[in-house]
Each structure stands twice: as C-alpha cells, then as structure tokens.
Amino acid sequence: MATSAIGPGFITQTATFTATMGAAFAFAILASVIIDIAVQLNIWRMITSSGQRAGDLANRAIPFSGHFIAILVVMGGLAFNIGNIAGGGLGLNALLGIDPKIGGLLTGALAILLFLIKKAGRVMDVVLILLGIGMIVMTVVVAVISQPPVGEALRQTVAPDQLNFATITTIVGGTVGGYITYAGAHRYLDSGLTGPQHSAGVMRSATNGILVTAVMRYVLFLAILGVVASGVVLDVSGQAANPAGQAFGAVLGDAGMRIFGAIFWAAALSSVIGAAYTSATFLSTFSRRVATGWPLQLVTVAFIAVSLVIYLLIGTAPAALLVFVGGFNGLILPVGLTVFMYIGWFRPDLLGVSKYPRWLLIPGTLVTALTWYMGSVSIGPIFAFLGVTG
C-alpha cells in the first residue's frame, strides 16, 4: 500500500501544493493522515475478516453495489495510470531532457514488456527498492540543506492560515483513493491470513502503511518548503513542469535533477504496472474468467495500452494531470466507504462477527460524511487542474 501510494502523483502533488500554499499545506497533510487511518483500518479489517475481495463483499451486502464500486475503481485506476505514464514522461525529461510525450510513450511500452517478462519484473523489484532508498536519502538531504522554516510549518500543522478542501481531497485520493485503499487488503487475502482472528495484525499493517507515507510526505514537504522559502519559484503548470525535480535541482544542481529524474521515472514505471494489474483484478467482479492466468494478463496489457493512448491524446501538462488524478480518486472514495460503513453497521455477519467494533465504525462514519462534503465542494477546483470548470 505504501509503495502504491508513494509514486509520481504523490511526489508531484506534494511539491505543487507546497509551492502554492506554503507552510499551510502542513495542515492538509495532518488532516489527510487522520482520514487515511480511519479509511484503511475499516476497509482492510472488513475485507480480511470476510475473506472476500471488495466487490464480492459489497455485492453480498447490497446487490450490484460491488459492480458499481468496481466500475469506479477501474475508472480511478485508469486515471491513476494515465497520470503514472505522465510521471514517466516527466522523469525521463528530467533525466535525459527528452519531450515528456515521448518519455510517456517509452514508459508505457516498457511497462507492457516488463509485465510480460516475469524475470525482468523480479530484477526491477530489486532496483526499485534501491532507488526508493535513494529517494528517501535525497529527500532528507534536501530537507537539511534547504533549511525550511520548521517552526512555522509546525504552527500551521495545527493552525493553518488557509484551509483548502480540494487539496485535502486530492492528497487523500492519492494515498487511499481508487484502487490503493483495496490493494493492500487484497494482497493480505493472498497471504491466507484471513478471518476475524487476524484483525490485530491487519490493523497494524494498515496503520504502518499510512504512517510510512505520512512521514515521507512531511519530509518531502519540508524539503520543498525550504526551497520555496529561499525565494525559488517553481513552475507547476508548464508542459514540462516538474516542481519536485526543480526543487531537487535547485539544491543539488544538475546532477541532483538527473538522479531525481531516474528515481521518479522508476517509481512511475512500477506504478503503471501495479495500478493496471490491481485495477484489472476488479474486473473479476463481472467475470471469473479474468480473475487469473492469461485473461488477466491480457486485460492488464490492454489497460496499460488504453492509458497510454489517452495520455498521448490529452493536451494537459503532466504535472497538472498528476495532481488531478489524486483529486478524481478522492471524489469517488466516499462511494465505496458508504457501502463498507453499511456493512459494519448492519451486516457484521458477513465479517464473521456478531458485532463490528463501534470505535472503528463511528470515526469511519464521520470520515465518510466528511469525504462526501469535501468532494461536493471540491469538484470545481479539482477539475480546474485540467483546465475544466465545474
């Protein structure tokens, strides 16, 4: 879940909002962490306790609701994947200086190749671990060198000068929106550790995943904030805009920019494959024939190909697209949450228990209501990231 969340969208959203909001973005990070924990604890616990995938569990509670959730997740996954391919284009632009569209084309094509060649995928996993460590080290270095106003950031974490619901909706969507909130729980099902008796371990894993992403986002926020506070103006809307890359380049020079580009591209490439595969598994809600084997592989490849074609046809700047996809998935998040809260309140029998914990249900229900409200007031600003008014 953490590796799914910390991708090109996560990095670009954090850099963009830090550049536009400054220290006030700290409150959005705190609010998103609280929301993320309430979402993850409930969804992971319900799915693993029932031993069923999200779509199947929802269908048992409310007929055809699982199909509706699957459609939304696939739509959100498609949006995510278009953004991931855009992120690949930005990464190769920072690394090699090539046009982001060409970089996106190469990223999409290579993702299909790596998915089909299993041995290449295993090698890539090792490389991504090393690059991920490199990203963390680089971010900490930039945060130290840039000397951010930590005191101001801490103050605005709890008392912000401005409040932006679209920002919170976007980073929530980029962390637990769309397929991401279900990906970790579905992987847990594959481990066989299902049933109510494993709930404690499940919730530990869910909490740890959120805390890892929260710490990484806050450190990245401090790194970008230090650069912005020093007077550097980051481009967040141009066709080749890469605000995070610009910030790293401002502190570490051209070499830092290129190393960042390589890491950013690798994260995008991994996210393209992961988002496509997880989204494709939701289609098993409609047909068991695509649940495993070559049909699932074929659907995954088609998913990547469609994402690539749409990206090449869209004229939106990649950075803006990466911000938008988080917002879009934040908008569809409350639909699935509502179904799962219904299960917790009225159908605990599907979870193998007579009564679902109220200490989880009450905050989960409050967060569900909050995400509906935030979504309703954020539709216009979120679509404005694409130059579309709502």
Side-chain angles (χ1 to χ4, degrees):
M1 173 261 144
T3 55
S4 294
I6 304 175
F10 175 98
I11 296 168
T12 303
Q13 291 157 19
T14 303
T16 298
F17 290 133
T18 303
T20 55
M21 296 180 64
F25 181 53
F27 177 79
I29 296 175
L30 175 62
S32 73
V33 171
I34 295 171
I35 293 170
D36 292 347
I37 289 176
V39 171
Q40 287 290 85
L41 289 182
N42 276 291
I43 288 183
W44 280 37
R45 179 164 179 152
M46 289 184 187
I47 288 176
T48 57
S49 291
S50 70
Q52 301 174 78
R53 294 188 180 276
D56 297 329
L57 176 58
N59 274 339
R60 288 193 63 191
I62 305 173
F64 302 108
S65 64
H67 293 85
F68 186 54
I69 291 174
I71 291 171
L72 291 179
V73 168
V74 170
M75 287 174 57
L78 184 64
F80 257 123
N81 235 25
I82 295 167
N84 289 332
I85 291 173
L90 282 182
L92 288 180
N93 175 262
L95 175 63
L96 304 173
I98 64 177
D99 183 90
K101 287 282 186 183
I102 296 175
L105 176 62
L106 293 174
T107 300
L110 184 58
I112 292 174
L113 186 64
L114 287 175
F115 178 74
L116 294 175
I117 303 175
K118 298 303 180 185
K119 289 184 178 179
R122 285 193 288 271
V123 172
M124 181 179 161
D125 285 341
V126 176
V127 173
L128 285 171
I129 291 172
L130 296 176
L131 289 174
I133 294 172
M135 169 64 83
I136 294 171
V137 172
M138 281 185 67
T139 303
V140 172
V141 169
V142 172
V144 172
I145 295 176
S146 66
Q147 296 183 324
V150 176
E152 179 66 8
L154 291 175
R155 180 187 72 79
Q156 296 215 43
T157 299
V158 294
D161 290 344
Q162 57 175 305
L163 181 61
N164 190 316
F165 283 122
T167 298
I168 299 173
T169 300
T170 297
I171 62 175
V172 167
T175 309
V176 295
Y179 78 95
I180 296 176
T181 192
Y182 305 107
H186 284 185
R187 287 294 298 273
Y188 227 104
L189 291 182
D190 296 337
S191 73
L193 300 175
T194 61
Q197 67 272 24
H198 294 290
S199 294
V202 169
M203 292 196 297
R204 258 196 316 272
S205 296
T207 303
N208 289 341
I210 292 297
L211 292 179
V212 166
T213 59
V215 170
M216 183 61 188
R217 193 187 293 275
Y218 204 84
V219 172
L220 180 59
F221 154 71
L222 289 176
I224 306 296
L225 182 63
V227 173
V228 173
S230 71
V232 175
V233 179
L234 303 180
D235 177 14
V236 298
S237 61
Q239 280 297 322
N242 189 344
Q246 294 164 40
F248 277 70
V251 175
L252 302 178
D254 184 65
M257 176 75 164
R258 295 188 184 280
I259 294 171
F260 172 84
I263 295 171
F264 193 83
W265 174 71
L269 184 63
S270 172
S271 296
V272 169
I273 298 172
Y277 181 78
T278 306
S279 299
T281 60
F282 267 85
L283 294 176
S284 65
T285 305
F286 299 93
S287 173
R288 294 296 175 191
R289 294 175 60 187
V290 297
T292 57
W294 69 263
L296 180 58
Q297 288 187 328
L298 184 62
V299 171
T300 304
V301 169
F303 199 90
I304 298 174
V306 170
S307 304
L308 176 58
V309 170
I310 295 175
Y311 165 68
L312 294 174
L313 293 175
I314 290 178
T316 303
L321 188 59
L322 282 165
V323 175
F324 167 77
V325 296
F328 180 78
N329 279 278
L331 292 177
I332 66 177
L333 174 63
V335 178
L337 275 180
T338 301
V339 174
F340 277 86
M341 289 304 100
Y342 169 83
I343 293 171
W345 283 109
F346 303 110
R347 293 300 309 273
D349 57 296
L350 297 177
L351 311 178
V353 295
S354 59
K355 189 176 182 181
Y356 189 77
R358 292 294 185 265
W359 67 270
L360 283 173
L361 265 182
I362 292 173
T365 303
L366 292 174
V367 162
T368 301
L370 179 61
T371 56
W372 275 112
Y373 172 75
M374 291 196 306
S376 67
V377 299
S378 303
I379 293 175
I382 286 171
F383 276 88
F385 291 132
L386 291 179
V388 179
T389 57

